[in-house]
Amino acid sequence: MTAAAVRLHPASLLEAGVVAALQQACFPDDPWDEASVATLIVPPAGFAVIALDDRDRPLGFVMARVAAEDAEILAIGVLPQARRGGIGRLLVEAAVGGSQDLGATALFLEVAEDNPAASSLYKASGFFSVGRRPGYYKRPDGRVAALVLRRNLDGA
């Protein structure tokens, strides 16, 4: 599946279950339940976007929230069978646009140090490193650090 065949759909609270199912499929070791997702995407500060294929089947999601001038991507994921087609980039840009619409001038996220594909996507999308959180993510064989990334949204 390529980005050209994808439609982005703003998720309502009624679709928190869809977002939770996508999150579980993308991150089975540490999924969020529907209630947690619903709490995080409550408007006006929180929002989610779902990527749908040409048959309206969900392929990926992004969840973000805004507090004052700062926004954060809380979670982003694309189903394994739909990766490497540009859907992640579309979801990142959806988070950028939604954050700007809510007045944010900076967008932050965390990415595991051992996830070069995601790190590459974020770097290509204008993010840069501003910090590191040791032992942030659990792994079957231990813990791995998170890189804290930032993208300026105000042209700076």
Side-chain angles (χ1 to χ4, degrees):
M1 178 62 53
T2 64
V6 170
R7 178 174 65 88
L8 296 180
H9 171 72
S12 72
L13 287 175
L14 296 175
E15 293 159 310
V18 174
V19 175
L22 284 164
Q23 207 270 351
Q24 182 170 2
C26 294
F27 309 107
D29 293 334
D30 197 17
W32 293 343
D33 63 18
E34 183 177 348
S36 298
V37 169
T39 300
L40 293 167
I41 65 171
V42 173
F47 65 93
V49 176
I50 301 170
L52 301 169
D53 71 9
D54 56 356
R55 294 184 180 174
D56 286 338
R57 293 177 296 204
L59 300 171
F61 74 100
V62 64
M63 296 175 17
R65 68 176 168 200
V66 176
E69 295 86 29
D70 291 340
E72 177 183 12
I73 292 178
L74 302 168
I76 183 170
V78 175
L79 295 176
Q81 65 272 22
R83 292 179 183 158
R84 298 285 194 200
I87 297 168
R89 185 177 306 272
L90 287 177
L91 290 167
V92 168
E93 291 308 316
V96 167
S99 298
Q100 288 174 316
D101 289 347
L102 293 173
T105 59
L107 179 59
F108 294 86
L109 62 84
E110 285 127 5
V111 62
E113 232 176 20
D114 64 353
N115 190 344
S119 294
S120 178
L121 166 65
Y122 301 138
K123 183 177 178 182
S125 298
F127 285 85
F128 56 93
S129 182
V130 294
R132 184 175 181 273
R133 294 187 174 145
Y136 188 77
Y137 291 104
K138 295 179 202 170
R139 295 290 188 261
D141 57 348
R143 299 184 78 80
V144 66
L147 301 176
V148 180
L149 306 181
R150 174 188 173 124
R151 176 172 164 176
N152 294 327
L153 304 179
D154 61 358

PDB file of all heavy atoms in Angstrom, residues 29-30 135-144:
ATOM      1  N   ASP A  29       3.660  -5.442  22.434  1.00  0.00           N
ATOM      2  CA  ASP A  29       4.300  -5.635  23.743  1.00  0.00           C
ATOM      3  C   ASP A  29       3.856  -4.618  24.782  1.00  0.00           C
ATOM      4  O   ASP A  29       4.055  -4.832  25.974  1.00  0.00           O
ATOM      5  CB  ASP A  29       5.823  -5.576  23.604  1.00  0.00           C
ATOM      6  CG  ASP A  29       6.366  -6.746  22.813  1.00  0.00           C
ATOM      7  OD1 ASP A  29       5.707  -7.810  22.792  1.00  0.00           O
ATOM      8  OD2 ASP A  29       7.438  -6.601  22.205  1.00  0.00           O
ATOM      9  N   ASP A  30       3.286  -3.502  24.343  1.00  0.00           N
ATOM     10  CA  ASP A  30       2.909  -2.459  25.295  1.00  0.00           C
ATOM     11  C   ASP A  30       1.705  -1.661  24.779  1.00  0.00           C
ATOM     12  O   ASP A  30       1.782  -0.454  24.599  1.00  0.00           O
ATOM     13  CB  ASP A  30       4.108  -1.528  25.520  1.00  0.00           C
ATOM     14  CG  ASP A  30       3.958  -0.680  26.763  1.00  0.00           C
ATOM     15  OD1 ASP A  30       3.131  -1.006  27.620  1.00  0.00           O
ATOM     16  OD2 ASP A  30       4.671   0.341  26.857  1.00  0.00           O
ATOM     17  N   GLY A 135      16.984   4.047  29.216  1.00  0.00           N
ATOM     18  CA  GLY A 135      16.120   2.981  29.707  1.00  0.00           C
ATOM     19  C   GLY A 135      14.633   3.237  29.583  1.00  0.00           C
ATOM     20  O   GLY A 135      13.840   2.667  30.333  1.00  0.00           O
ATOM     21  N   TYR A 136      14.214   4.032  28.638  1.00  0.00           N
ATOM     22  CA  TYR A 136      12.816   4.460  28.538  1.00  0.00           C
ATOM     23  C   TYR A 136      11.894   3.352  28.026  1.00  0.00           C
ATOM     24  O   TYR A 136      10.787   3.178  28.510  1.00  0.00           O
ATOM     25  CB  TYR A 136      12.736   5.679  27.619  1.00  0.00           C
ATOM     26  CG  TYR A 136      11.394   6.354  27.570  1.00  0.00           C
ATOM     27  CD1 TYR A 136      10.973   7.185  28.609  1.00  0.00           C
ATOM     28  CD2 TYR A 136      10.540   6.183  26.491  1.00  0.00           C
ATOM     29  CE1 TYR A 136       9.750   7.812  28.574  1.00  0.00           C
ATOM     30  CE2 TYR A 136       9.312   6.810  26.437  1.00  0.00           C
ATOM     31  CZ  TYR A 136       8.919   7.627  27.484  1.00  0.00           C
ATOM     32  OH  TYR A 136       7.705   8.256  27.440  1.00  0.00           O
ATOM     33  N   TYR A 137      12.337   2.607  27.024  1.00  0.00           N
ATOM     34  CA  TYR A 137      11.506   1.559  26.419  1.00  0.00           C
ATOM     35  C   TYR A 137      11.906   0.182  26.920  1.00  0.00           C
ATOM     36  O   TYR A 137      13.084  -0.128  27.013  1.00  0.00           O
ATOM     37  CB  TYR A 137      11.635   1.580  24.885  1.00  0.00           C
ATOM     38  CG  TYR A 137      11.024   2.788  24.238  1.00  0.00           C
ATOM     39  CD1 TYR A 137      11.823   3.818  23.759  1.00  0.00           C
ATOM     40  CD2 TYR A 137       9.643   2.896  24.093  1.00  0.00           C
ATOM     41  CE1 TYR A 137      11.272   4.929  23.143  1.00  0.00           C
ATOM     42  CE2 TYR A 137       9.083   4.011  23.479  1.00  0.00           C
ATOM     43  CZ  TYR A 137       9.894   5.019  23.011  1.00  0.00           C
ATOM     44  OH  TYR A 137       9.343   6.120  22.415  1.00  0.00           O
ATOM     45  N   LYS A 138      10.891  -0.648  27.208  1.00  0.00           N
ATOM     46  CA  LYS A 138      11.137  -2.029  27.610  1.00  0.00           C
ATOM     47  C   LYS A 138      11.356  -2.873  26.364  1.00  0.00           C
ATOM     48  O   LYS A 138      10.692  -2.699  25.357  1.00  0.00           O
ATOM     49  CB  LYS A 138       9.932  -2.590  28.363  1.00  0.00           C
ATOM     50  CG  LYS A 138       9.626  -1.935  29.666  1.00  0.00           C
ATOM     51  CD  LYS A 138       8.397  -2.585  30.267  1.00  0.00           C
ATOM     52  CE  LYS A 138       7.745  -1.657  31.263  1.00  0.00           C
ATOM     53  NZ  LYS A 138       6.435  -2.156  31.683  1.00  0.00           N
ATOM     54  N   ARG A 139      12.285  -3.800  26.479  1.00  0.00           N
ATOM     55  CA  ARG A 139      12.539  -4.788  25.427  1.00  0.00           C
ATOM     56  C   ARG A 139      12.635  -6.149  26.098  1.00  0.00           C
ATOM     57  O   ARG A 139      12.945  -6.230  27.295  1.00  0.00           O
ATOM     58  CB  ARG A 139      13.857  -4.481  24.690  1.00  0.00           C
ATOM     59  CG  ARG A 139      13.854  -3.181  23.909  1.00  0.00           C
ATOM     60  CD  ARG A 139      12.933  -3.295  22.699  1.00  0.00           C
ATOM     61  NE  ARG A 139      13.033  -2.159  21.815  1.00  0.00           N
ATOM     62  CZ  ARG A 139      12.177  -1.138  21.813  1.00  0.00           C
ATOM     63  NH1 ARG A 139      11.190  -1.113  22.680  1.00  0.00           N
ATOM     64  NH2 ARG A 139      12.314  -0.155  20.951  1.00  0.00           N
ATOM     65  N   PRO A 140      12.382  -7.228  25.360  1.00  0.00           N
ATOM     66  CA  PRO A 140      12.476  -8.567  25.970  1.00  0.00           C
ATOM     67  C   PRO A 140      13.832  -8.837  26.621  1.00  0.00           C
ATOM     68  O   PRO A 140      13.915  -9.552  27.613  1.00  0.00           O
ATOM     69  CB  PRO A 140      12.243  -9.516  24.794  1.00  0.00           C
ATOM     70  CG  PRO A 140      11.449  -8.715  23.812  1.00  0.00           C
ATOM     71  CD  PRO A 140      11.928  -7.292  23.972  1.00  0.00           C
ATOM     72  N   ASP A 141      14.888  -8.220  26.084  1.00  0.00           N
ATOM     73  CA  ASP A 141      16.229  -8.456  26.623  1.00  0.00           C
ATOM     74  C   ASP A 141      16.766  -7.273  27.431  1.00  0.00           C
ATOM     75  O   ASP A 141      17.964  -7.161  27.633  1.00  0.00           O
ATOM     76  CB  ASP A 141      17.193  -8.808  25.491  1.00  0.00           C
ATOM     77  CG  ASP A 141      17.258  -7.725  24.417  1.00  0.00           C
ATOM     78  OD1 ASP A 141      16.391  -6.813  24.427  1.00  0.00           O
ATOM     79  OD2 ASP A 141      18.174  -7.778  23.582  1.00  0.00           O
ATOM     80  N   GLY A 142      15.890  -6.405  27.881  1.00  0.00           N
ATOM     81  CA  GLY A 142      16.332  -5.267  28.683  1.00  0.00           C
ATOM     82  C   GLY A 142      15.583  -3.997  28.339  1.00  0.00           C
ATOM     83  O   GLY A 142      14.398  -4.028  28.019  1.00  0.00           O
ATOM     84  N   ARG A 143      16.269  -2.875  28.397  1.00  0.00           N
ATOM     85  CA  ARG A 143      15.660  -1.571  28.135  1.00  0.00           C
ATOM     86  C   ARG A 143      16.530  -0.810  27.145  1.00  0.00           C
ATOM     87  O   ARG A 143      17.723  -1.063  27.043  1.00  0.00           O
ATOM     88  CB  ARG A 143      15.490  -0.788  29.433  1.00  0.00           C
ATOM     89  CG  ARG A 143      14.579  -1.513  30.435  1.00  0.00           C
ATOM     90  CD  ARG A 143      14.322  -0.700  31.680  1.00  0.00           C
ATOM     91  NE  ARG A 143      13.346   0.348  31.516  1.00  0.00           N
ATOM     92  CZ  ARG A 143      12.023   0.196  31.527  1.00  0.00           C
ATOM     93  NH1 ARG A 143      11.509  -1.015  31.651  1.00  0.00           N
ATOM     94  NH2 ARG A 143      11.215   1.210  31.412  1.00  0.00           N
ATOM     95  N   VAL A 144      15.912   0.134  26.442  1.00  0.00           N
ATOM     96  CA  VAL A 144      16.633   0.935  25.469  1.00  0.00           C
ATOM     97  C   VAL A 144      16.248   2.399  25.657  1.00  0.00           C
ATOM     98  O   VAL A 144      15.135   2.711  26.086  1.00  0.00           O
ATOM     99  CB  VAL A 144      16.347   0.444  24.020  1.00  0.00           C
ATOM    100  CG1 VAL A 144      14.898   0.665  23.638  1.00  0.00           C
ATOM    101  CG2 VAL A 144      17.265   1.100  23.023  1.00  0.00           C
TER     102      VAL A 144
END
